[in-house]
Amino acid sequence: MEIKRGVAVSPGVAIGPAWVLDTEEVRIGERFIATGTYPEEIERFDRAVQAAANEARQIQKTVSERLGEQYGAIFGAHAALIEDPNLRQEVAAQIRDHSFTAEYALSRVIRRRAKILAGLNDRILADRQSDLFDIEKRLLRQLVGQRQAQLQKLSEAAILLAHDLAPSETAQLDRQHVLAFATEAGGRTSHTAIVANALGIPAVVGLGPFLTDVSGGDLVIVDGNRGLLILDPDAETLERYRQAQAAQAGHERELIELRDLPAITRDGVRILLLGNIEFPEEAAQILERGADGVGLYRTEFLYLGRKEDPTEQEHFQAYLKVLRQLPGKPIVIRTLDIGADKFRSAVEPPAQERNPFLGVRSLRLCLHNKSLFRVQLRAILRASAFGDVRIMFPMVSTLAELREAKLLLHDVMDELNEEQVPFNPQIPVGTMIEVPSAALIADLLAKEVNFFSIGTNDLIQYVLAADRTNENVAYLYNASDPAVLRLIEQVVRAAERHGIPVNVCGEMGAEPMYAFVLIGLGLRQLSTPPSAIPELKRLIRSITVEEARRAAQAALQMESAQDITNYLRDQIRRILPEALAV
Ligand code: PEP
Ligand code: MG
């Protein structure tokens, strides 16, 4: 058994066979063949060996002609490795003795050999590992090629393991069959993580290298609560996790009972709990989890997996779909936040960027491409005639940008007026505060909008200069950092002074210990993934605003993220012992 630690990004526990996806192809384990069919399976492997060796020799020839024989020889060596009789013998034994499929048997043998090489403490031999994986890929491509039809779609429930997943890939995962996923790369608030949460798929990211230790079909456990991936679990661990799964289901049923109760603190203060959604289908979750409305609708997901931009009518229909499911509830529609890690292929920024998180992303992209922006603004305004729609601009960094966006909005209003198309001329307009400059000029921005929403996912990354998707700087990316708390406090005070409501719509608000400190800092509304809402209700109904205020003041005096985390954890342990136990 091996336990890997990563970042927990979507809660829940899953137990199942691994489905390993790497950047080039899918390696899947149907792990066993029908008993007695091993001679055919060994033959299948032999055919793959033949084809892969031929392919390697062909490459040897081409490369020798183009670059010289010494380069071609690399592929000659690959052909020899593929045809190595010892390899064939070991794989055949695995197929015969354990009824393994050829893919699974090969994967096991290669991994065993790679581990031996890695353990030799010899750089040159250790480098040979990559040759081993290369020949494994060649052989698997041959084997898998023979079963392409079966690979089109995952037909059995499995746990997806990959180096990394793009948000668009994640959004297209088949929920029926993907029990959970775990990736080597990625950070806490990457959009991949957000989508996993939206889909309700348990997930752990930022695990560091592990793919070489696992084969498709191996039994694995993903613990999305603690951020663990367990390879080859022993019987005791397996039993413990089976029990945890059952307990989790019970805990969720209990939380759902809180759905219809209001989120009021013990000293009588009502906290508005809103939900974040990415897809119109999630609106149902808002009701199921007992949220007061939608605090953040990430509309860029309309662009997912498309070559053409959505039309005004498509935008409009998506918004109506949400409104119809949530009559009377506020819906904050955030304008497009494309760029950085989101959907680069659908709408490209002007040029390849060296640092896309600091580039033409989000509102900047919309202001560079006003015709694209107008399409969405028209659709939002049209939807505002049908319910409590509010509009919110992301990634505002200067007052000038906010003014430019508002000017365009008013221009579109004039256009709709001329066309006699109905809309709400009093539509509330808000700005996200997710860039440090916006937090620092919150007093200026507050005069020009109806509400603020603090996007802590980005605010944390920009304040600490730590990429939210990069597991190597995850130790810096911390909501407990004193700099983060101070900035949030500053924004809340500015909003209070100007009498506008302020919300937090980053993932920070979804964690009970941070929700507690945020309420203590003065927040009276939070917007989180719908799945977090029942637990937050329980928290709110267990605290007083006064104790939260005292805790926030104490946290603000502390010098390090570690001290603040420890302190807040202790507070939550006292208030809600079961929140940390699950
Ligand atoms: C944020 O940055 O906190 C936020 C809510 O927006 P997104 O996660 O979509 O960038
Ligand atoms: Mg953001």
Side-chain angles (χ1 to χ4, degrees):
M1 176 165 92
E2 229 173 307
I3 300 179
K4 307 274 179 188
R5 272 166 214 286
V7 185
V9 293
S10 182
V13 165
I15 304 170
W19 175 37
V20 184
L21 178 82
D22 64 20
T23 44
E24 287 182 51
E25 74 231 308
V26 174
R27 290 190 235 125
I28 190 167
E30 258 174 41
R31 196 167 166 171
F32 297 107
I33 51 169
T35 31
T37 59
Y38 71 85
E40 290 92 320
E41 194 66 3
I42 294 175
E43 247 175 60
R44 198 166 74 83
F45 180 69
D46 287 341
R47 281 201 302 278
V49 165
Q50 209 50 58
N54 287 345
E55 183 193 66
R57 289 222 173 76
Q58 193 53 46
I59 299 174
Q60 177 184 13
K61 197 160 156 256
T62 321
V63 172
S64 299
E65 281 164 14
R66 284 209 194 127
L67 302 172
E69 292 206 339
Q70 70 274 37
Y71 294 102
I74 298 168
F75 298 94
H78 279 188
L81 274 171
I82 290 168
E83 286 176 326
D84 174 2
N86 289 333
L87 177 76
R88 197 258 178 204
Q89 208 177 2
E90 278 181 58
V91 172
Q94 295 270 335
I95 297 174
R96 190 182 52 239
D97 301 342
H98 303 288
S99 295
F100 286 150
T101 56
E103 290 91 334
Y104 186 66
L106 172 72
S107 214
R108 276 176 66 105
V109 170
I110 295 283
R111 259 144 203 79
R112 196 157 63 202
R113 290 184 167 206
K115 266 206 160 157
I116 294 170
L117 286 181
L120 289 180
N121 237 344
D122 176 325
R123 281 268 323 265
I124 295 177
L125 283 176
D127 283 349
R128 292 266 317 273
Q129 276 192 95
S130 60
D131 290 320
L132 273 181
F133 292 132
D134 200 335
I135 67 154
E136 182 195 19
K137 264 187 196 150
R138 283 183 196 291
L139 280 163
L140 282 174
R141 226 178 281 137
Q142 296 300 331
L143 288 165
V144 163
Q146 296 169 22
R147 297 179 172 214
Q148 204 57 43
Q150 289 170 39
L151 284 175
Q152 295 298 322
K153 200 157 185 255
L154 190 59
S155 58
E156 276 172 40
I159 292 178
L160 174 58
L161 304 178
H163 172 67
D164 200 2
L165 281 176
S168 52
E169 288 173 315
T170 311
Q172 287 168 71
L173 290 180
D174 175 1
R175 284 161 75 176
Q176 291 262 308
H177 294 121
V178 179
L179 297 172
F181 72 80
T183 59
E184 294 184 328
R188 185 177 303 283
T189 61
S190 61
H191 288 98
T192 296
I194 287 167
V195 175
N197 215 306
L199 296 175
I201 298 178
V204 179
V205 302
L207 283 150
F210 70 80
L211 286 177
T212 50
D213 299 335
V214 63
S215 299
D218 282 354
L219 188 68
V220 296
I221 298 175
V222 168
D223 179 345
N225 304 325
R226 292 185 183 75
L228 303 179
L229 169 68
I230 304 174
L231 306 177
D232 210 0
D234 59 30
E236 192 195 319
T237 307
L238 205 53
E239 183 47 33
R240 194 155 42 79
Y241 270 99
R242 292 222 160 101
Q243 283 174 11
Q245 266 183 325
Q248 175 105 14
H251 180 67
E252 263 169 30
R253 272 195 302 276
E254 219 175 88
L255 284 176
I256 276 300
E257 284 164 16
L258 291 165
R259 180 177 56 195
D260 301 324
L261 298 174
I264 296 183
T265 61
R266 281 177 28 234
D267 46 357
V269 178
R270 175 85 159 88
I271 308 291
L272 205 61
L273 288 181
L274 303 158
N276 297 346
I277 63 168
E278 288 72 37
F279 310 100
E281 293 72 27
E282 278 178 278
Q285 282 281 313
I286 298 291
L287 296 177
E288 274 163 35
R289 304 283 174 160
D292 296 309
V294 174
L296 167 67
Y297 177 8
R298 290 184 166 98
T299 55
E300 55 278 5
F301 282 78
L302 276 169
Y303 283 70
L304 190 74
R306 309 176 47 129
K307 293 215 166 58
E308 307 275 311
D309 298 343
T311 60
E312 178 183 323
Q313 195 58 15
E314 284 169 316
H315 277 280
F316 176 64
Q317 288 302 338
Y319 306 153
L320 269 197
K321 201 165 168 183
V322 176
L323 284 169
R324 288 212 181 100
Q325 291 177 78
L326 304 171
K329 297 208 187 287
I331 315 289
V332 178
I333 301 184
R334 179 178 73 178
T335 60
L336 297 175
D337 186 20
I338 296 177
D341 64 335
K342 272 187 279 193
F343 323 128
R344 302 293 307 281
S345 59
V347 181
E348 283 294 341
Q352 270 292 328
E353 296 188 302
R354 247 171 287 160
N355 206 336
F357 271 113
L358 301 182
V360 185
R361 171 190 171 190
S362 197
L363 185 65
R364 300 169 186 182
L365 188 140
C366 289
L367 293 176
H368 281 225
N369 190 345
K370 293 212 173 77
S371 51
L372 171 98
F373 200 19
R374 289 182 88 97
V375 169
Q376 179 175 39
L377 294 177
R378 281 180 64 98
I380 297 175
L381 285 171
R382 281 174 57 198
S384 72
F386 295 87
D388 184 356
V389 171
R390 305 168 188 195
I391 186 166
M392 178 162 82
F393 299 122
M395 277 286 288
V396 168
S397 1
T398 66
L399 194 55
E401 257 180 341
L402 174 65
R403 286 181 176 158
E404 195 180 346
K406 282 179 60 185
L407 204 65
L408 194 66
L409 181 70
H410 286 112
D411 200 42
V412 172
M413 284 181 175
D414 290 345
E415 190 176 88
L416 290 177
N417 266 331
E418 269 167 38
E419 295 170 24
Q420 299 189 333
V421 176
F423 65 91
N424 172 14
Q426 309 299 334
I427 184 171
V429 178
T431 179
M432 290 192 68
I433 304 286
E434 52 182 348
V435 179
S437 59
L440 292 166
I441 57 161
D443 57 329
L444 304 179
L445 296 171
K447 289 185 207 154
E448 315 228 354
V449 288
N450 303 105
F451 65 91
F452 279 166
S453 194
I454 306 175
T456 49
N457 300 340
D458 278 311
L459 190 63
I460 297 169
Q461 81 162 342
Y462 292 129
V463 160
L464 289 152
D467 180 348
R468 64 195 265 188
T469 67
N470 183 343
E471 67 281 11
N472 298 318
V473 289
Y475 68 98
L476 283 171
Y477 184 101
N478 198 330
S480 288
D481 198 279
V484 174
L485 294 190
R486 287 183 191 199
L487 262 192
I488 292 175
E489 197 209 15
Q490 204 170 317
V491 175
V492 175
R493 296 291 92 85
E496 281 172 358
R497 274 199 305 276
H498 290 87
I500 61 167
V502 54
N503 179 39
V504 163
C505 63
E507 306 300 296
M508 179 182 181
E511 270 189 64
M513 69 173 181
Y514 292 129
F516 180 58
V517 80
L518 289 171
I519 291 168
L521 287 172
L523 269 302
R524 294 295 173 263
Q525 49 177 288
L526 298 172
S527 188
T528 70
S531 59
I533 286 182
E535 184 83 69
L536 290 180
K537 268 196 186 170
R538 171 146 65 183
L539 169 84
I540 289 163
R541 294 174 64 84
S542 312
I543 60 169
T544 62
V545 163
E546 186 45 34
E547 71 179 323
R549 199 191 57 76
R550 267 186 270 118
Q553 287 314 311
L556 280 171
Q557 303 306 315
M558 294 178 187
E559 292 179 356
S560 74
Q562 192 58 57
D563 288 348
I564 295 175
T565 302
N566 291 343
Y567 173 72
L568 294 178
R569 276 223 178 101
D570 283 348
Q571 295 290 313
I572 292 301
R573 205 166 278 136
R574 178 178 60 76
I575 302 164
L576 270 191
E578 61 287 15
L580 291 172
V582 181

